[in-house]
Amino acid sequence: MFTFTRSEILTTSLLTDKAVTWALDNMDYLNKPMRLFGSSQKVEKGGDKRETYILYLQPAGKVSKRTLCAGAATAGCEKPCLIISGQLGMDTGQRAATKRTILFLLRPEWFKAQLLREIDKAEKRATRTGIPALFRLNGTSDVDFSEVISARPASEFYDYSKVLARLRKNTLPNYDITYSGSMYSTASKKALGKAVVRGHKIAVAFNTKCLKSDNVAVPEGLVSFDKNDLRPLDAPGSIGYLYRKGSNKAQRAAEGAQSFFVTADNVTEFNNIIAKG
């Protein structure tokens, strides 16, 4: 069980001050049982091919003093993170993600065991329904979960990651990783170029919601990664586009060349990078 005390919360060195205050204000909720996996409208689009289970934690340094997204600073993705969009951005989604992150940090052994229990339960359901289970452990984080993935070699896992070395070093046959590209910094653009040359699958977010007021178009040859989240089914070397989520016209209009997104100001440079593949 994961019972917390006020003393433990006050003395931990793993949580930000804001997270400590939240935990103290929500002790009853924090100590109630919870399921770790969730879902989303996007993954439900592929529900006839895979039943997808996603783990949503609070990203980067929002709850954890030590970032849970090693590439966030280089990629400039912390502010526009998906954690603020859709159902995740609602109060219930935020509370659940915060609680999961506290459990992950302060009860790591329980957390791992619970993940494995939920994976096993999902696999039993897959046996009954005939629809294979698919697991994404980094819905809004970028953590090395290889220990969990190794423990369930018969299960299928996937992630997006901004840590290029994670793709290069991945030797797990049941783990599919798509590189998440960014146009934010010199380092992120260099890493994107390396991912292209190495033939990795790549996802890139564009600063558009396909409105007339949006001024960047997706280049030909890219495939839509918005249709579903079944990245393990994509061809090796696929470069896919995602539309910007959780934004308004003013935010998109203000986005310049230094951006996590491909924008009107950097799309030419982006095209030059992917042309090297």
Side-chain angles (χ1 to χ4, degrees):
M1 191 60 185
F2 52 76
T3 303
F4 294 101
T5 65
R6 293 180 63 87
S7 176
E8 179 183 10
I9 298 299
L10 285 168
T11 56
T12 182
S13 61
L14 300 177
L15 303 180
T16 63
D17 291 343
K18 188 174 181 179
V20 167
T21 299
W22 182 93
L24 294 174
D25 291 341
N26 293 272
M27 289 298 292
D28 289 342
Y29 172 67
L30 191 60
N31 281 315
K32 289 180 179 178
M34 82 174 306
R35 186 177 63 179
L36 297 180
F37 280 119
S39 186
S40 73
Q41 290 182 345
K42 181 181 175 183
V43 303
E44 289 167 4
K45 294 177 183 177
D48 59 331
K49 297 179 181 178
R50 295 287 193 281
E51 187 161 3
T52 306
Y53 302 81
I54 305 183
L55 175 65
Y56 292 111
L57 301 177
Q58 290 287 8
K62 194 169 180 181
V63 166
S64 173
K65 277 191 175 181
R66 184 176 182 179
T67 183
L68 301 186
C69 303
T74 299
C77 59
E78 187 169 357
K79 186 175 180 180
C81 180
L82 287 173
I83 196 70
I84 63 172
S85 66
Q87 293 182 344
L88 290 175
M90 297 179 181
D91 183 63
T92 52
Q94 288 293 301
R95 283 165 55 82
T98 298
K99 179 176 175 177
R100 288 190 203 99
T101 309
I102 292 174
L103 288 167
F104 169 73
L105 294 168
L106 300 189
R107 293 292 184 273
E109 293 305 317
W110 177 91
F111 194 92
K112 177 185 174 183
Q114 180 63 18
L115 270 181
L116 294 175
R117 283 191 289 268
E118 293 189 23
I119 290 168
D120 293 342
K121 184 177 180 179
E123 292 291 6
K124 290 179 180 178
R125 173 178 168 81
T127 300
R128 295 195 305 269
T129 64
I131 302 175
L134 180 61
F135 304 95
R136 180 180 169 188
L137 302 183
N138 283 297
T140 44
S141 55
D142 207 344
V143 175
D144 183 358
F145 280 108
S146 56
E147 188 175 347
V148 173
I149 297 168
S150 298
R152 291 297 182 269
S155 294
E156 189 176 15
F157 298 84
Y158 77 110
D159 269 325
Y160 300 80
S161 178
K162 294 174 181 65
V163 182
L164 188 58
R166 191 162 294 154
L167 282 78
R168 178 171 54 84
K169 295 178 180 179
N170 178 37
T171 59
L172 296 169
N174 61 329
Y175 188 30
D176 182 272
I177 314 177
T178 297
Y179 182 68
S180 178
S182 166
M183 296 297 291
Y184 181 75
S185 66
T186 300
S188 67
K189 287 182 282 189
K190 184 178 180 180
L192 174 58
K194 287 182 178 179
V196 171
V197 171
R198 293 172 184 172
H200 292 306
K201 268 187 293 189
I202 300 169
V204 185
F206 277 73
N207 184 45
T208 179
K209 295 186 79 172
C210 291
L211 301 178
K212 290 183 178 179
S213 56
D214 292 335
N215 58 358
V216 60
V218 177
E220 293 184 6
L222 274 63
V223 297
S224 174
F225 280 0
D226 271 327
K227 291 181 178 180
N228 58 57
D229 209 43
L230 301 176
R231 296 289 72 80
L233 304 186
D234 296 320
S238 296
I239 300 179
Y241 63 88
L242 301 161
Y243 293 136
R244 184 170 180 174
K245 312 298 188 301
S247 64
N248 56 45
K249 291 181 182 180
Q251 288 172 322
R252 294 192 298 278
E255 203 75 28
Q258 185 183 13
S259 175
F260 166 67
F261 303 98
V262 177
T263 71
D265 293 335
N266 64 35
V267 67
T268 299
E269 186 178 10
F270 168 76
N271 288 334
N272 291 335
I273 292 172
I274 64 172
K276 296 176 183 177

